[in-house]
Amino acid sequence: VQLQASGGGLVQAGGDLRLSCAVSTRTFRTYTMGWFRQAPGKERQFVAGIGWSGTMTDFADSVKGRFTISRDNAKNTVYLQMNSLKPEDTAVYYCAARVYDSIVVDRSGYYYWGLGTLVTVSS
């Protein structure tokens, strides 16, 4: 299973970005997907997760109401729509996958990881 995140970039505070994560597997619909982020000098933290069908989602408190997560099982892709971005959202964002239909916030619960995409929010 390979994951490829894209869509990062430089944006001003208050702006929006949409991240995508393309997953190379025939069984994408049986993976729970998560987004994590890691700011310089900090631990990698859970941002959002989505279950197999897309009806189950979870978000970190810091992004609730600003970020949404969705998936397109026909395209093997998960998205993270980030609105009203803040400088503190600056980080490398990673997508990850786990085989169980449950969302966990601990990074150890995810078996597959992609390379990150950098999001920089300027003030």
Side-chain angles (χ1 to χ4, degrees):
V1 179
Q2 294 184 327
L3 291 74
Q4 179 67 54
S6 61
L10 174 64
V11 63
Q12 290 188 334
D16 305 332
L17 275 178
R18 188 177 81 157
L19 305 183
S20 299
C21 177
V23 184
S24 62
T25 175
R26 294 182 178 181
T27 58
F28 175 72
R29 62 182 66 250
T30 63
Y31 287 91
T32 289
M33 300 300 300
W35 284 98
F36 288 73
R37 67 185 181 187
Q38 187 167 17
K42 295 189 176 181
E43 297 284 323
R44 191 172 301 186
Q45 296 180 326
F46 174 81
V47 175
I50 187 166
W52 290 3
S53 68
T55 57
M56 176 176 56
T57 60
D58 194 16
F59 297 90
D61 288 343
S62 59
V63 306
K64 280 181 181 176
R66 298 188 297 122
F67 290 13
T68 58
I69 187 171
S70 62
R71 65 189 296 160
D72 186 336
N73 286 343
K75 295 183 178 180
N76 284 19
T77 303
V78 61
Y79 304 97
L80 185 69
Q81 178 66 44
M82 306 185 294
N83 297 335
S84 302
L85 284 160
K86 304 175 181 179
E88 50 263 44
D89 295 317
T90 295
V92 177
Y93 283 72
Y94 298 88
C95 58
R98 60 185 262 111
V99 298
Y100 300 105
D101 192 17
S102 59
I103 300 169
V104 298
V105 301
D106 190 329
R107 57 180 292 189
S108 67
Y110 293 81
Y111 309 128
Y112 303 103
W113 291 83
L115 298 177
T117 185
L118 177 62
V119 173
T120 304
V121 184
S122 63
S123 57

